[in-house]
Amino acid sequence: MDAPIVVLLAVLSGLFGVGLGALGFFFVWSNVSGNRMETAKNEASKVVEDARSEERRVIREAREEAKRTVSSGESKIKEAEGELRERRREMQGAERRISNREENLDKRAGNLERRERELTAKEEQAAEIENDLQVLKLKQTQRLEEISSLSMEDAQSELMRQAEEEIQHELALQYRDMEDEARARADDSAREIISEAIQRLASDVVSEATLTSVPLPNDEMKGRLIGREGRNIRAIEKATGVDLIIDDTPEAVTISCFDPIRREVARLALAKLVTDGRIHPARIEDMVAKTEKDLQEAIRKTGENTVRDVGVRGLNKELIHLLGRLQYRFSYGENVLQHSVEVAYLAAAMAAEIGANVRVAKMGGLLHDIGKALTHEIEGPHAEIGAEVATKNKVPKPVIAAIAEHHDDDHSSPESFLVAAADAISAARPGARRDTVEHYLKRLQALEQVGMAFDGVEKCYAIQAGREIRILVKPEDIDDLAANNMARNVVKKIEQELTYPGQIKVTVIRENRTVEYAR
């Protein structure tokens, strides 16, 4: 309720009270006389006083209510004014942002229009320049034709003729340089030809150490060994790492391989296959695996028999097995196991004559070339390899010294000197060694080591008397592209590291088999 209305109501209430008091006073005064007049006056006065008190109370309450109303109205007015000012500020900020955006849009629109005009002008300028270039090119061509008295086709023909003459001249110069170089290298070429001829003359010696013949019951068996489209002979060569030669020799095939153990495995497996008559790739693989197992047993027995015959005690199974492997190892054409037995006997006899330790001399002589059983697996001189193997297998130190020093000039004991002397005596007897075969075998071993040095190689065989190396890779590790790259890398490494006559063929074989069983 508004304050003026409250005040007006309070005044009207007061006037109404006064009126009532006067009316009561007049009524009392007119109807009462005498003493009652006084009483009436007093009552009237009291009524008037009460009316006035009520009037003052009502006015006071009305003023207080008015004050409260005014105070509440002022606070609401202030709150409304504050909210109004806040909204005005927000509207002003929004208006400024909208104005800034409009200005930015106007600027961008102006920049776009300016760029569009510039691009249009540049396109027109470029088109004019292109037209001018076409005109200039045409004029230049016409001018050149007038000066040279040649048309465009004639000029092209003339340029081709000049280029052909220059190329022919360059070729003639290169041919002349090549002829001069060939004349300068004539002596070297002649020496190489003579060297190849000498190498061919040595083929008989090599064949004696690397070829083995296997008899056949009839010539029909040759066709079965070859198999359909040559699958059987390929399976034999892959499983054994040898080269199977089937020629016109009646009722016989030839096995060629520089590694005598692989050659012996192939010979035994081939003999069993011929006897059995079932020849196919799966049977070939099974027979080769069984033959390898049997040959390892034969190697063990050979080692045991050798130790027993020589009379050496205290060797463990690993050394006995390595001794058996020496049966298939040749050094300069000499069987290494026979050579070791001979050295053991000679060293023991000389030790007995001079009063040295016979046991140490005999054991040292028997084991002095034990490292040659591992030279194709471990790189290094066979004397060092043999000393390491002997140390690993707890051979007495004097024997280890004899093994390590049998090619040295200085010796730490009489027994070591006797072993070296016996080695020289055994090798010096006439016909004991053939140097050509040893070099040949070392070259083939080096060739296989080059192939095995690459990652992903499963097997590596040098065949065809060292004229070819076949590398079998793991199909899960090497794909076709990697196999091609490996062939090129092997060729580069052979050219960089080895010395060989003629050329060497590198064949990388990647075979992937999938086997399932029907049950």
Side-chain angles (χ1 to χ4, degrees), residues 113-366:
E113 292 177 357
R114 184 176 68 258
R115 289 182 181 179
E116 186 176 0
R117 289 194 298 271
E118 292 176 354
L119 289 175
T120 303
K122 288 182 179 179
E123 289 177 355
E124 294 175 355
Q125 186 178 1
E128 293 177 359
I129 293 173
E130 185 177 0
N131 293 331
D132 295 340
L133 287 174
Q134 293 293 336
V135 174
L136 290 174
K137 184 177 180 180
L138 181 61
K139 290 181 179 180
Q140 185 179 13
T141 302
Q142 294 174 354
R143 181 60 178 168
L144 289 173
E145 290 179 354
E146 293 175 359
I147 294 174
S148 61
S149 300
L150 294 174
S151 63
M152 180 67 71
E153 291 77 8
D154 295 337
Q156 291 178 351
S157 300
E158 181 66 19
L159 288 174
M160 292 294 294
R161 186 185 63 80
Q162 292 179 2
E164 184 177 357
E165 291 179 354
E166 291 179 359
I167 292 173
Q168 291 178 353
H169 179 68
E170 292 293 333
L171 288 175
L173 293 177
Q174 290 184 3
Y175 286 144
R176 186 188 64 186
D177 294 338
M178 292 173 65
E179 290 177 355
D180 294 340
E181 185 178 358
R183 292 191 186 96
R185 299 179 57 186
D187 294 338
D188 296 336
S189 299
R191 292 190 186 94
E192 292 178 0
I193 294 172
I194 293 172
S195 299
E196 291 182 5
I198 293 173
Q199 191 266 344
R200 291 179 182 179
L201 290 175
S203 61
D204 293 339
V205 178
V206 174
S207 298
E208 292 177 4
T210 61
L211 298 180
T212 300
S213 296
V214 178
L216 301 178
N218 50 58
D219 285 341
E220 182 185 356
M221 186 61 67
K222 291 182 179 180
R224 299 179 64 183
L225 288 176
I226 294 173
R228 184 181 300 175
E229 298 179 355
R231 64 174 186 174
N232 290 342
I233 191 173
R234 286 197 301 270
I236 294 172
E237 293 177 346
K238 178 183 176 182
T240 60
V242 303
D243 190 18
L244 194 62
I245 302 172
I246 300 178
D247 52 17
D248 296 333
T249 305
E251 297 182 356
V253 295
T254 303
I255 300 172
S256 175
C257 181
F258 78 95
D259 189 336
I261 295 180
R262 293 209 303 257
R263 191 170 67 250
E264 183 67 10
V265 170
R267 185 187 70 82
L268 295 175
L270 196 59
K272 293 178 181 179
L273 288 170
V274 170
T275 303
D276 183 71
R278 294 176 294 174
I279 304 176
H280 52 82
R283 179 65 176 170
I284 290 170
E285 291 181 358
D286 294 340
M287 190 63 70
V288 170
K290 185 176 182 300
T291 303
E292 289 179 349
K293 183 178 179 180
D294 294 341
L295 186 60
Q296 292 298 323
E297 180 65 19
I299 288 173
R300 182 187 63 80
K301 290 181 179 180
T302 300
E304 292 177 351
N305 293 335
T306 301
V307 171
R308 183 176 60 252
D309 294 342
V310 176
V312 175
R313 297 179 178 84
L315 299 182
N316 60 19
K317 294 182 179 180
E318 183 177 355
L319 288 176
I320 293 174
H321 182 77
L322 293 177
L323 277 174
R325 291 180 64 175
L326 293 180
Q327 173 67 27
Y328 303 96
R329 178 73 160 82
F330 290 84
S331 178
Y332 297 96
E334 182 181 19
N335 185 275
V336 176
L337 182 58
Q338 295 176 1
H339 166 70
S340 299
V341 172
E342 187 174 11
V343 171
Y345 286 141
L346 290 171
M350 290 187 290
E353 290 293 331
I354 67 173
N357 191 324
V358 176
R359 179 176 179 274
V360 171
K362 184 181 289 187
M363 186 180 291
L366 184 62

Side-chain angles (χ1 to χ4, degrees), residues 425-433:
I425 293 171
S426 176
R429 61 182 175 80
R433 295 188 172 185

